[in-house]
mmCIF file of all heavy atoms in Angstrom:
data_model
loop_
_atom_site.group_PDB
_atom_site.id
_atom_site.type_symbol
_atom_site.label_atom_id
_atom_site.label_comp_id
_atom_site.label_asym_id
_atom_site.label_seq_id
_atom_site.Cartn_x
_atom_site.Cartn_y
_atom_site.Cartn_z
ATOM 1 N N GLU Z 1 143.811 129.474 52.747
ATOM 2 C CA GLU Z 1 143.199 130.646 52.115
ATOM 3 C C GLU Z 1 144.197 131.677 51.600
ATOM 4 O O GLU Z 1 143.907 132.401 50.648
ATOM 5 C CB GLU Z 1 142.267 131.339 53.114
ATOM 6 C CG GLU Z 1 141.155 130.472 53.662
ATOM 7 C CD GLU Z 1 140.383 131.163 54.774
ATOM 8 O OE1 GLU Z 1 140.306 132.420 54.734
ATOM 9 O OE2 GLU Z 1 139.886 130.470 55.686
ATOM 10 N N ALA Z 2 145.361 131.771 52.238
ATOM 11 C CA ALA Z 2 146.335 132.806 51.863
ATOM 12 C C ALA Z 2 147.749 132.244 51.975
ATOM 13 O O ALA Z 2 148.528 132.655 52.837
ATOM 14 C CB ALA Z 2 146.173 134.032 52.750
ATOM 15 N N PRO Z 3 148.093 131.272 51.115
ATOM 16 C CA PRO Z 3 149.430 130.661 51.213
ATOM 17 C C PRO Z 3 150.561 131.659 51.016
ATOM 18 O O PRO Z 3 151.672 131.429 51.489
ATOM 19 C CB PRO Z 3 149.416 129.589 50.121
ATOM 20 C CG PRO Z 3 148.317 129.997 49.183
ATOM 21 C CD PRO Z 3 147.291 130.688 50.021
ATOM 22 N N LEU Z 4 150.282 132.741 50.287
ATOM 23 C CA LEU Z 4 151.175 133.899 50.299
ATOM 24 C C LEU Z 4 150.423 135.012 51.021
ATOM 25 O O LEU Z 4 149.446 135.558 50.519
ATOM 26 C CB LEU Z 4 151.537 134.356 48.880
ATOM 27 C CG LEU Z 4 152.376 135.647 48.825
ATOM 28 C CD1 LEU Z 4 153.743 135.451 49.473
ATOM 29 C CD2 LEU Z 4 152.518 136.134 47.390
ATOM 30 N N TYR Z 5 150.878 135.319 52.224
ATOM 31 C CA TYR Z 5 150.197 136.303 53.070
ATOM 32 C C TYR Z 5 151.022 137.583 53.126
ATOM 33 O O TYR Z 5 152.259 137.544 53.091
ATOM 34 C CB TYR Z 5 150.026 135.730 54.484
ATOM 35 C CG TYR Z 5 149.569 136.749 55.503
ATOM 36 C CD1 TYR Z 5 148.230 137.126 55.577
ATOM 37 C CD2 TYR Z 5 150.474 137.349 56.383
ATOM 38 C CE1 TYR Z 5 147.798 138.071 56.493
ATOM 39 C CE2 TYR Z 5 150.054 138.291 57.300
ATOM 40 C CZ TYR Z 5 148.721 138.648 57.352
ATOM 41 O OH TYR Z 5 148.296 139.592 58.254
ATOM 42 N N TYR Z 6 150.337 138.725 53.208
ATOM 43 C CA TYR Z 6 151.034 140.000 53.364
ATOM 44 C C TYR Z 6 150.476 140.742 54.560
ATOM 45 O O TYR Z 6 149.252 140.914 54.699
ATOM 46 C CB TYR Z 6 150.884 140.870 52.115
ATOM 47 C CG TYR Z 6 151.530 142.233 52.263
ATOM 48 C CD1 TYR Z 6 152.925 142.346 52.342
ATOM 49 C CD2 TYR Z 6 150.765 143.386 52.365
ATOM 50 C CE1 TYR Z 6 153.527 143.584 52.499
ATOM 51 C CE2 TYR Z 6 151.354 144.629 52.515
ATOM 52 C CZ TYR Z 6 152.740 144.726 52.588
ATOM 53 O OH TYR Z 6 153.351 145.947 52.755
ATOM 54 N N ASN Z 7 151.356 141.196 55.443
ATOM 55 C CA ASN Z 7 150.990 142.005 56.600
ATOM 56 C C ASN Z 7 151.385 143.451 56.309
ATOM 57 O O ASN Z 7 152.575 143.775 56.200
ATOM 58 C CB ASN Z 7 151.699 141.490 57.854
ATOM 59 C CG ASN Z 7 151.373 142.305 59.090
ATOM 60 O OD1 ASN Z 7 151.687 143.481 59.169
ATOM 61 N ND2 ASN Z 7 150.754 141.658 60.070
ATOM 62 N N GLU Z 8 150.360 144.293 56.156
ATOM 63 C CA GLU Z 8 150.616 145.689 55.804
ATOM 64 C C GLU Z 8 151.215 146.472 56.966
ATOM 65 O O GLU Z 8 152.083 147.337 56.771
ATOM 66 C CB GLU Z 8 149.306 146.346 55.355
ATOM 67 C CG GLU Z 8 149.471 147.762 54.842
ATOM 68 C CD GLU Z 8 148.177 148.335 54.284
ATOM 69 O OE1 GLU Z 8 147.166 147.592 54.253
ATOM 70 O OE2 GLU Z 8 148.179 149.514 53.884
ATOM 71 N N LYS Z 9 150.791 146.162 58.186
ATOM 72 C CA LYS Z 9 151.254 146.918 59.347
ATOM 73 C C LYS Z 9 152.769 146.822 59.501
ATOM 74 O O LYS Z 9 153.445 147.835 59.735
ATOM 75 C CB LYS Z 9 150.565 146.405 60.612
ATOM 76 C CG LYS Z 9 150.993 147.123 61.883
ATOM 77 C CD LYS Z 9 150.237 146.599 63.099
ATOM 78 C CE LYS Z 9 150.659 147.325 64.363
ATOM 79 N NZ LYS Z 9 149.912 146.818 65.560
ATOM 80 N N TYR Z 10 153.308 145.614 59.392
ATOM 81 C CA TYR Z 10 154.746 145.424 59.580
ATOM 82 C C TYR Z 10 155.479 145.180 58.266
ATOM 83 O O TYR Z 10 156.693 144.939 58.273
ATOM 84 C CB TYR Z 10 154.996 144.261 60.545
ATOM 85 C CG TYR Z 10 154.485 144.540 61.940
ATOM 86 C CD1 TYR Z 10 153.444 143.793 62.481
ATOM 87 C CD2 TYR Z 10 155.024 145.566 62.704
ATOM 88 C CE1 TYR Z 10 152.963 144.051 63.759
ATOM 89 C CE2 TYR Z 10 154.557 145.838 63.977
ATOM 90 C CZ TYR Z 10 153.522 145.075 64.499
ATOM 91 O OH TYR Z 10 153.054 145.344 65.765
ATOM 92 N N ASP Z 11 154.747 145.232 57.154
ATOM 93 C CA ASP Z 11 155.323 145.170 55.812
ATOM 94 C C ASP Z 11 156.185 143.917 55.610
ATOM 95 O O ASP Z 11 157.391 143.995 55.372
ATOM 96 C CB ASP Z 11 156.163 146.429 55.545
ATOM 97 C CG ASP Z 11 156.636 146.509 54.097
ATOM 98 O OD1 ASP Z 11 156.016 145.861 53.227
ATOM 99 O OD2 ASP Z 11 157.649 147.197 53.857
ATOM 100 N N PHE Z 12 155.538 142.759 55.731
ATOM 101 C CA PHE Z 12 156.246 141.520 55.423
ATOM 102 C C PHE Z 12 155.291 140.528 54.773
ATOM 103 O O PHE Z 12 154.071 140.588 54.958
ATOM 104 C CB PHE Z 12 156.875 140.902 56.681
ATOM 105 C CG PHE Z 12 155.872 140.282 57.635
ATOM 106 C CD1 PHE Z 12 155.554 138.920 57.559
ATOM 107 C CD2 PHE Z 12 155.252 141.041 58.615
ATOM 108 C CE1 PHE Z 12 154.643 138.351 58.434
ATOM 109 C CE2 PHE Z 12 154.343 140.480 59.496
ATOM 110 C CZ PHE Z 12 154.023 139.128 59.392
ATOM 111 N N TYR Z 13 155.852 139.624 53.992
ATOM 112 C CA TYR Z 13 155.117 138.516 53.398
ATOM 113 C C TYR Z 13 155.374 137.266 54.241
ATOM 114 O O TYR Z 13 156.352 137.200 54.997
ATOM 115 C CB TYR Z 13 155.570 138.270 51.963
ATOM 116 C CG TYR Z 13 155.215 139.384 51.000
ATOM 117 C CD1 TYR Z 13 156.045 140.499 50.865
ATOM 118 C CD2 TYR Z 13 154.069 139.310 50.223
ATOM 119 C CE1 TYR Z 13 155.720 141.526 49.986
ATOM 120 C CE2 TYR Z 13 153.736 140.331 49.334
ATOM 121 C CZ TYR Z 13 154.570 141.425 49.225
ATOM 122 O OH TYR Z 13 154.250 142.440 48.362
ATOM 123 N N ALA Z 14 154.515 136.262 54.079
ATOM 124 C CA ALA Z 14 154.719 135.009 54.809
ATOM 125 C C ALA Z 14 154.262 133.832 53.957
ATOM 126 O O ALA Z 14 153.242 133.902 53.262
ATOM 127 C CB ALA Z 14 153.953 135.015 56.134
ATOM 128 N N LEU Z 15 155.033 132.750 54.039
ATOM 129 C CA LEU Z 15 154.685 131.473 53.425
ATOM 130 C C LEU Z 15 154.446 130.465 54.534
ATOM 131 O O LEU Z 15 155.223 130.401 55.496
ATOM 132 C CB LEU Z 15 155.808 130.991 52.500
ATOM 133 C CG LEU Z 15 156.034 131.812 51.228
ATOM 134 C CD1 LEU Z 15 157.316 131.386 50.538
ATOM 135 C CD2 LEU Z 15 154.847 131.696 50.285
ATOM 136 N N SER Z 16 153.388 129.665 54.402
ATOM 137 C CA SER Z 16 152.979 128.803 55.506
ATOM 138 C C SER Z 16 152.871 127.327 55.148
ATOM 139 O O SER Z 16 152.743 126.496 56.045
ATOM 140 C CB SER Z 16 151.628 129.279 56.053
ATOM 141 O OG SER Z 16 150.687 129.440 54.999
ATOM 142 N N ARG Z 17 152.889 126.971 53.868
ATOM 143 C CA ARG Z 17 152.793 125.572 53.474
ATOM 144 C C ARG Z 17 154.163 124.902 53.517
ATOM 145 O O ARG Z 17 155.184 125.539 53.227
ATOM 146 C CB ARG Z 17 152.194 125.437 52.079
ATOM 147 C CG ARG Z 17 150.735 125.849 52.003
ATOM 148 C CD ARG Z 17 150.182 125.693 50.592
ATOM 149 N NE ARG Z 17 148.760 126.067 50.527
ATOM 150 C CZ ARG Z 17 148.057 126.112 49.405
ATOM 151 N NH1 ARG Z 17 148.632 125.795 48.243
ATOM 152 N NH2 ARG Z 17 146.776 126.460 49.440
ATOM 153 N N PHE Z 18 154.180 123.615 53.839
ATOM 154 C CA PHE Z 18 155.435 122.888 53.979
ATOM 155 C C PHE Z 18 156.303 123.032 52.738
ATOM 156 O O PHE Z 18 157.497 123.371 52.835
ATOM 157 C CB PHE Z 18 155.148 121.406 54.236
ATOM 158 C CG PHE Z 18 156.383 120.562 54.457
ATOM 159 C CD1 PHE Z 18 156.813 120.265 55.745
ATOM 160 C CD2 PHE Z 18 157.112 120.057 53.393
ATOM 161 C CE1 PHE Z 18 157.956 119.499 55.959
ATOM 162 C CE2 PHE Z 18 158.248 119.293 53.592
ATOM 163 C CZ PHE Z 18 158.664 119.012 54.877
ATOM 164 N N ASP Z 19 155.747 122.766 51.576
ATOM 165 C CA ASP Z 19 156.536 122.779 50.347
ATOM 166 C C ASP Z 19 157.108 124.164 50.076
ATOM 167 O O ASP Z 19 158.267 124.301 49.671
ATOM 168 C CB ASP Z 19 155.659 122.318 49.176
ATOM 169 C CG ASP Z 19 156.474 122.106 47.906
ATOM 170 O OD1 ASP Z 19 157.449 121.324 47.953
ATOM 171 O OD2 ASP Z 19 156.140 122.718 46.879
ATOM 172 N N ASP Z 20 156.316 125.208 50.303
ATOM 173 C CA ASP Z 20 156.787 126.572 50.074
ATOM 174 C C ASP Z 20 157.890 126.958 51.058
ATOM 175 O O ASP Z 20 158.879 127.602 50.685
ATOM 176 C CB ASP Z 20 155.626 127.562 50.197
ATOM 177 C CG ASP Z 20 154.598 127.398 49.096
ATOM 178 O OD1 ASP Z 20 154.959 126.934 48.000
ATOM 179 O OD2 ASP Z 20 153.421 127.718 49.342
ATOM 180 N N VAL Z 21 157.700 126.592 52.331
ATOM 181 C CA VAL Z 21 158.711 126.913 53.340
ATOM 182 C C VAL Z 21 160.011 126.175 53.032
ATOM 183 O O VAL Z 21 161.103 126.764 53.074
ATOM 184 C CB VAL Z 21 158.207 126.566 54.752
ATOM 185 C CG1 VAL Z 21 159.326 126.740 55.783
ATOM 186 C CG2 VAL Z 21 157.011 127.433 55.128
ATOM 187 N N GLU Z 22 159.909 124.895 52.709
ATOM 188 C CA GLU Z 22 161.098 124.110 52.399
ATOM 189 C C GLU Z 22 161.845 124.712 51.206
ATOM 190 O O GLU Z 22 163.076 124.888 51.251
ATOM 191 C CB GLU Z 22 160.692 122.672 52.099
ATOM 192 C CG GLU Z 22 161.869 121.749 51.814
ATOM 193 C CD GLU Z 22 161.406 120.347 51.462
ATOM 194 O OE1 GLU Z 22 160.644 120.200 50.480
ATOM 195 O OE2 GLU Z 22 161.805 119.406 52.162
ATOM 196 N N LYS Z 23 161.120 125.044 50.144
ATOM 197 C CA LYS Z 23 161.765 125.643 48.972
ATOM 198 C C LYS Z 23 162.365 127.004 49.311
ATOM 199 O O LYS Z 23 163.439 127.362 48.811
ATOM 200 C CB LYS Z 23 160.752 125.773 47.832
ATOM 201 C CG LYS Z 23 160.386 124.448 47.185
ATOM 202 C CD LYS Z 23 159.327 124.634 46.107
ATOM 203 C CE LYS Z 23 158.974 123.297 45.451
ATOM 204 N NZ LYS Z 23 157.876 123.449 44.455
ATOM 205 N N GLY Z 24 161.672 127.759 50.159
ATOM 206 C CA GLY Z 24 162.201 129.054 50.562
ATOM 207 C C GLY Z 24 163.495 128.935 51.336
ATOM 208 O O GLY Z 24 164.436 129.714 51.135
ATOM 209 N N LEU Z 25 163.571 127.943 52.229
ATOM 210 C CA LEU Z 25 164.790 127.735 53.002
ATOM 211 C C LEU Z 25 165.944 127.297 52.100
ATOM 212 O O LEU Z 25 167.108 127.605 52.372
ATOM 213 C CB LEU Z 25 164.544 126.688 54.085
ATOM 214 C CG LEU Z 25 163.599 127.105 55.213
ATOM 215 C CD1 LEU Z 25 163.229 125.901 56.077
ATOM 216 C CD2 LEU Z 25 164.213 128.203 56.071
ATOM 217 N N LEU Z 26 165.628 126.572 51.030
ATOM 218 C CA LEU Z 26 166.667 126.113 50.103
ATOM 219 C C LEU Z 26 167.120 127.217 49.153
ATOM 220 O O LEU Z 26 168.255 127.201 48.677
ATOM 221 C CB LEU Z 26 166.150 124.926 49.288
ATOM 222 C CG LEU Z 26 165.960 123.610 50.042
ATOM 223 C CD1 LEU Z 26 165.234 122.583 49.174
ATOM 224 C CD2 LEU Z 26 167.307 123.043 50.486
ATOM 225 N N ASN Z 27 166.253 128.198 48.879
ATOM 226 C CA ASN Z 27 166.539 129.228 47.883
ATOM 227 C C ASN Z 27 167.318 130.379 48.502
ATOM 228 O O ASN Z 27 166.819 131.497 48.645
ATOM 229 C CB ASN Z 27 165.222 129.714 47.270
ATOM 230 C CG ASN Z 27 165.443 130.671 46.104
ATOM 231 O OD1 ASN Z 27 166.573 130.912 45.675
ATOM 232 N ND2 ASN Z 27 164.361 131.230 45.595
ATOM 233 N N TRP Z 28 168.561 130.108 48.886
ATOM 234 C CA TRP Z 28 169.346 131.104 49.605
ATOM 235 C C TRP Z 28 169.817 132.258 48.726
ATOM 236 O O TRP Z 28 170.214 133.319 49.237
ATOM 237 C CB TRP Z 28 170.547 130.444 50.275
ATOM 238 C CG TRP Z 28 171.491 129.737 49.338
ATOM 239 C CD1 TRP Z 28 171.462 128.415 48.995
ATOM 240 C CD2 TRP Z 28 172.600 130.305 48.647
ATOM 241 N NE1 TRP Z 28 172.482 128.123 48.120
ATOM 242 C CE2 TRP Z 28 173.198 129.263 47.891
ATOM 243 C CE3 TRP Z 28 173.160 131.587 48.586
ATOM 244 C CZ2 TRP Z 28 174.313 129.474 47.085
ATOM 245 C CZ3 TRP Z 28 174.279 131.799 47.786
ATOM 246 C CH2 TRP Z 28 174.845 130.738 47.045
ATOM 247 N N LYS Z 29 169.779 132.097 47.419
ATOM 248 C CA LYS Z 29 170.202 133.187 46.546
ATOM 249 C C LYS Z 29 169.137 134.277 46.454
ATOM 250 O O LYS Z 29 169.465 135.465 46.312
ATOM 251 C CB LYS Z 29 170.505 132.650 45.149
ATOM 252 C CG LYS Z 29 171.755 131.777 45.090
ATOM 253 C CD LYS Z 29 172.057 131.338 43.668
ATOM 254 C CE LYS Z 29 173.328 130.503 43.616
ATOM 255 N NZ LYS Z 29 173.651 130.050 42.242
ATOM 256 N N THR Z 30 167.862 133.891 46.521
ATOM 257 C CA THR Z 30 166.773 134.877 46.466
ATOM 258 C C THR Z 30 166.367 135.337 47.852
ATOM 259 O O THR Z 30 166.172 136.534 48.105
ATOM 260 C CB THR Z 30 165.546 134.278 45.753
ATOM 261 O OG1 THR Z 30 165.921 133.879 44.434
ATOM 262 C CG2 THR Z 30 164.411 135.298 45.668
ATOM 263 N N PHE Z 31 166.247 134.389 48.785
ATOM 264 C CA PHE Z 31 165.862 134.706 50.160
ATOM 265 C C PHE Z 31 167.121 134.649 51.016
ATOM 266 O O PHE Z 31 167.477 133.603 51.558
ATOM 267 C CB PHE Z 31 164.796 133.732 50.662
ATOM 268 C CG PHE Z 31 163.548 133.711 49.818
ATOM 269 C CD1 PHE Z 31 162.910 132.521 49.538
ATOM 270 C CD2 PHE Z 31 163.020 134.881 49.294
ATOM 271 C CE1 PHE Z 31 161.747 132.493 48.768
ATOM 272 C CE2 PHE Z 31 161.870 134.869 48.515
ATOM 273 C CZ PHE Z 31 161.234 133.677 48.248
ATOM 274 N N ILE Z 32 167.808 135.777 51.127
ATOM 275 C CA ILE Z 32 169.136 135.791 51.723
ATOM 276 C C ILE Z 32 169.073 136.012 53.226
ATOM 277 O O ILE Z 32 168.108 136.558 53.762
ATOM 278 C CB ILE Z 32 170.049 136.847 51.065
ATOM 279 C CG1 ILE Z 32 169.550 138.266 51.369
ATOM 280 C CG2 ILE Z 32 170.150 136.618 49.561
ATOM 281 C CD1 ILE Z 32 170.527 139.351 50.928
ATOM 282 N N SER Z 33 170.145 135.591 53.893
ATOM 283 C CA SER Z 33 170.242 135.697 55.347
ATOM 284 C C SER Z 33 171.189 136.799 55.794
ATOM 285 O O SER Z 33 171.265 137.095 56.987
ATOM 286 C CB SER Z 33 170.722 134.357 55.938
ATOM 287 O OG SER Z 33 169.843 133.319 55.588
ATOM 288 N N GLY Z 34 171.902 137.393 54.855
ATOM 289 C CA GLY Z 34 172.949 138.345 55.215
ATOM 290 C C GLY Z 34 172.470 139.609 55.894
ATOM 291 O O GLY Z 34 173.266 140.338 56.494
ATOM 292 N N LYS Z 35 171.172 139.896 55.816
ATOM 293 C CA LYS Z 35 170.624 141.069 56.512
ATOM 294 C C LYS Z 35 169.881 140.668 57.788
ATOM 295 O O LYS Z 35 169.204 141.489 58.409
ATOM 296 C CB LYS Z 35 169.698 141.844 55.578
ATOM 297 C CG LYS Z 35 170.424 142.471 54.387
ATOM 298 C CD LYS Z 35 169.460 143.254 53.518
ATOM 299 C CE LYS Z 35 170.169 143.849 52.322
ATOM 300 N NZ LYS Z 35 171.140 144.905 52.693
ATOM 301 N N GLY Z 36 169.998 139.391 58.166
ATOM 302 C CA GLY Z 36 169.349 138.906 59.376
ATOM 303 C C GLY Z 36 168.322 137.838 59.066
ATOM 304 O O GLY Z 36 167.930 137.637 57.914
ATOM 305 N N MET Z 37 167.888 137.131 60.119
ATOM 306 C CA MET Z 37 166.883 136.078 59.968
ATOM 307 C C MET Z 37 165.687 136.311 60.891
ATOM 308 O O MET Z 37 164.864 135.430 61.071
ATOM 309 C CB MET Z 37 167.515 134.719 60.260
ATOM 310 C CG MET Z 37 168.576 134.304 59.244
ATOM 311 S SD MET Z 37 169.414 132.778 59.708
ATOM 312 C CE MET Z 37 168.071 131.610 59.594
ATOM 313 N N ILE Z 38 165.627 137.480 61.494
ATOM 314 C CA ILE Z 38 164.530 137.861 62.377
ATOM 315 C C ILE Z 38 163.912 139.129 61.800
ATOM 316 O O ILE Z 38 164.631 140.067 61.424
ATOM 317 C CB ILE Z 38 165.040 138.104 63.810
ATOM 318 C CG1 ILE Z 38 165.745 136.856 64.344
ATOM 319 C CG2 ILE Z 38 163.901 138.512 64.729
ATOM 320 C CD1 ILE Z 38 166.522 137.090 65.619
ATOM 321 N N LEU Z 39 162.599 139.169 61.719
ATOM 322 C CA LEU Z 39 161.900 140.249 61.036
ATOM 323 C C LEU Z 39 162.367 141.626 61.481
ATOM 324 O O LEU Z 39 162.743 142.468 60.661
ATOM 325 C CB LEU Z 39 160.387 140.083 61.260
ATOM 326 C CG LEU Z 39 159.472 141.188 60.729
ATOM 327 C CD1 LEU Z 39 159.629 141.340 59.226
ATOM 328 C CD2 LEU Z 39 158.020 140.876 61.100
ATOM 329 N N GLU Z 40 162.365 141.869 62.787
ATOM 330 C CA GLU Z 40 162.697 143.220 63.245
ATOM 331 C C GLU Z 40 164.182 143.538 63.078
ATOM 332 O O GLU Z 40 164.560 144.697 62.916
ATOM 333 C CB GLU Z 40 162.265 143.435 64.703
ATOM 334 C CG GLU Z 40 162.837 142.452 65.695
ATOM 335 C CD GLU Z 40 161.883 141.306 65.972
ATOM 336 O OE1 GLU Z 40 161.286 140.771 65.016
ATOM 337 O OE2 GLU Z 40 161.740 140.937 67.146
ATOM 338 N N LEU Z 41 165.026 142.505 63.079
ATOM 339 C CA LEU Z 41 166.449 142.751 62.831
ATOM 340 C C LEU Z 41 166.680 143.163 61.381
ATOM 341 O O LEU Z 41 167.479 144.061 61.092
ATOM 342 C CB LEU Z 41 167.269 141.500 63.151
ATOM 343 C CG LEU Z 41 167.694 141.293 64.597
ATOM 344 C CD1 LEU Z 41 168.486 140.006 64.733
ATOM 345 C CD2 LEU Z 41 168.521 142.461 65.102
#
């Protein structure tokens, strides 16, 4: 129902489908790790 989900309380988006997650993990230039890999960090 919501393959792109947004949580207003904690202000984050989420991807839940295999293909989207896999592509997200591969797309290191757009989805960077240099600011952390844990939401609260």
